[in-house]
Amino acid sequence: MHRRLKKVLRIGGIVTGVVVGLVAAAVLLVLFDKPLVRNISQKFITKKAGFDVKIGKLDYTLFPLHVTLSAVTAVYKTSNYTMDVTVDRIEARGDFRKLLNGTKPAFETVEIDVAELRFDQSKISEVPIDFATIVPQVGTILGYSARTSIVCRSMPIAVPGQKFQADDLALAFSRTTATDSFGLRLDARRFAAAMTAGGQAVEAPLHADGTLTLAGTMVATLRLGLDSPRITAGGRTESFKSLALETDGTWWIAENKVSLRKLVIDIPDIVSAAAAFDADFGKNGSFSADGNARFEKLEALVQSADPYLPPAFRGMH
């Protein structure tokens, strides 16, 4: 696995898995005062993660198991990108006996209150992302808790050619009865995406829910919606009632095979489209697909597509 990406993924450990290490440190040092436990834990996390981590305050009880970290900051820099995370609070509640026995989930709840997560990428790494390792690792981290909830007040993300912004984002994962499977709920008061050079942009409240299986075979059943999205293109801004997307698919990561059983896109009064496909991006190299589309109001579609048309065809309604 790419070493830099592996270190970045450990930020997720600060969110969930690192709590386990903090509790272990607390057990070994339970006779010492909490500031000492905090300092030792902070140095341990920084050494293992490979980037600077600071913990303002650590509080805990073992029976019942309750761990709270306050004023946590983490900074990671490489030649390709910089990531800064400021967390107001991380709080975990669970069963200490389950933690000692290695029983999952050891925590009933993990709550993370993030003030800001900022990611700024200056160039694309030439090393491919090892999803076959990353996806199961994320599932392992989330598996420590029956429910993990994250709120983030500001999340600016910049990558070459594009920038994204999510404000007042709330993300929740809850374990299901299936192995490595989680229910997902995501809401953002404002989501915006734009080309860095200008010209195209979209902005709207964002909602998503569904289930994810995070293992070597990844399964996703998701519904995503944008409320009253505003889309800017060609110097014009168009508003729509809503935009909804629904998908149900499987990704065999090691084999690089994808089966999308359902992909539905719906823009009321404009278009409703459905598609399905199977693709083998591995050594066999195959692709098959089918789909259909229904246009509700052709005039509305033409007006919405007008900014994307060549200048000679614009205004021909």
Side-chain angles (χ1 to χ4, degrees), residues 86-88 113-117 151-155:
T86 302
V87 181
D88 290 340
D113 186 353
V114 181
E116 183 180 62
L117 188 155
V151 296
C152 182
R153 292 193 292 278
S154 178
M155 184 185 294

Side-chain angles (χ1 to χ4, degrees), residues 258-308:
V258 177
S259 177
L260 195 63
R261 293 173 289 278
K262 178 171 68 173
L263 175 62
V264 177
I265 300 175
D266 183 59
I267 305 176
D269 298 330
I270 302 292
V271 63
S272 178
F277 71 82
D278 291 286
D280 185 346
F281 299 106
K283 58 183 180 180
N284 295 326
S286 63
F287 182 84
S288 62
D290 62 77
N292 60 79
R294 184 180 72 251
F295 301 105
E296 303 289 344
K297 296 180 180 179
L298 188 58
E299 182 180 359
L301 176 64
V302 173
Q303 290 177 343
S304 300
D306 190 80
Y308 300 96

Side-chain angles (χ1 to χ4, degrees), residues 11-303:
I11 289 180
I14 296 175
V15 171
T16 52
V18 161
V19 176
V20 177
L22 292 173
V23 173
V27 173
L28 296 175
L29 301 168
V30 70
L31 298 178
F32 297 91
D33 61 0
K34 292 175 181 178
L36 179 58
V37 176
R38 179 204 63 194
N39 291 338
I40 294 176
S41 301
Q42 180 175 281
K43 292 178 181 179
F44 175 79
I45 296 169
T46 297
K47 180 179 179 181
K48 290 295 183 180
F51 50 81
D52 292 335
V53 177
K54 298 187 184 304
I55 302 172
K57 183 180 179 181
L58 168 65
D59 198 4
Y60 60 87
T61 60
L62 300 182
F63 300 99
L65 180 58
H66 183 194
V67 182
T68 303
L69 294 82
S70 305
V72 179
T73 60
V75 179
Y76 183 60
K77 296 181 179 180
T78 74
S79 59
N80 294 334
Y81 55 80
T82 301
M83 179 181 290
D84 295 273
V85 184
T86 302
V87 181
D88 290 340
R89 178 183 62 90
I90 301 175
E91 187 169 2
R93 300 175 184 270
D95 188 320
F96 184 61
R97 296 177 182 83
K98 288 184 178 180
L99 187 64
L100 287 181
N101 294 331
T103 304
K104 289 186 178 182
F107 296 101
E108 289 299 320
T109 60
V110 174
E111 300 177 357
I112 304 99
D113 186 353
V114 181
E116 183 180 62
L117 188 155
R118 179 180 295 273
F119 182 85
D120 189 354
Q121 185 173 24
S122 58
K123 60 182 180 180
I124 303 297
S125 174
E126 297 180 357
V127 179
I129 300 174
D130 186 1
F131 288 107
T133 302
I134 295 172
V135 172
Q137 189 172 6
V138 172
T140 298
I141 292 172
L142 292 175
Y144 280 108
S145 175
R147 178 177 173 82
T148 301
S149 59
I150 305 168
V151 296
C152 182
R153 292 193 292 278
S154 178
M155 184 185 294
I157 298 174
V159 298
Q162 295 177 306
K163 56 183 178 180
F164 305 88
Q165 175 74 42
D167 297 324
D168 296 329
L169 180 145
L171 176 63
F173 293 96
S174 56
R175 285 174 58 108
T176 70
T177 55
T179 304
D180 299 321
S181 178
F182 304 88
L184 176 147
R185 175 74 187 183
L186 183 149
D187 295 283
R189 178 183 58 81
R190 173 180 175 269
F191 171 78
M195 304 298 292
T196 304
Q200 293 83 38
V202 60
E203 180 178 344
L206 170 66
H207 310 282
D209 66 88
T211 59
L212 288 173
T213 298
L214 300 174
T217 299
M218 182 177 176
V219 181
T221 303
L222 299 173
R223 294 169 296 275
L224 182 147
L226 297 175
D227 297 338
S228 302
R230 292 167 51 87
I231 300 176
T232 300
R236 290 178 52 180
T237 299
E238 296 284 344
S239 296
F240 301 91
K241 291 181 180 179
S242 65
L243 186 153
L245 183 145
E246 187 173 352
T247 181
D248 180 10
T250 301
W251 179 20
W252 292 269
I253 302 175
E255 296 85 358
N256 206 10
K257 295 170 58 178
V258 177
S259 177
L260 195 63
R261 293 173 289 278
K262 178 171 68 173
L263 175 62
V264 177
I265 300 175
D266 183 59
I267 305 176
D269 298 330
I270 302 292
V271 63
S272 178
F277 71 82
D278 291 286
D280 185 346
F281 299 106
K283 58 183 180 180
N284 295 326
S286 63
F287 182 84
S288 62
D290 62 77
N292 60 79
R294 184 180 72 251
F295 301 105
E296 303 289 344
K297 296 180 180 179
L298 188 58
E299 182 180 359
L301 176 64
V302 173
Q303 290 177 343

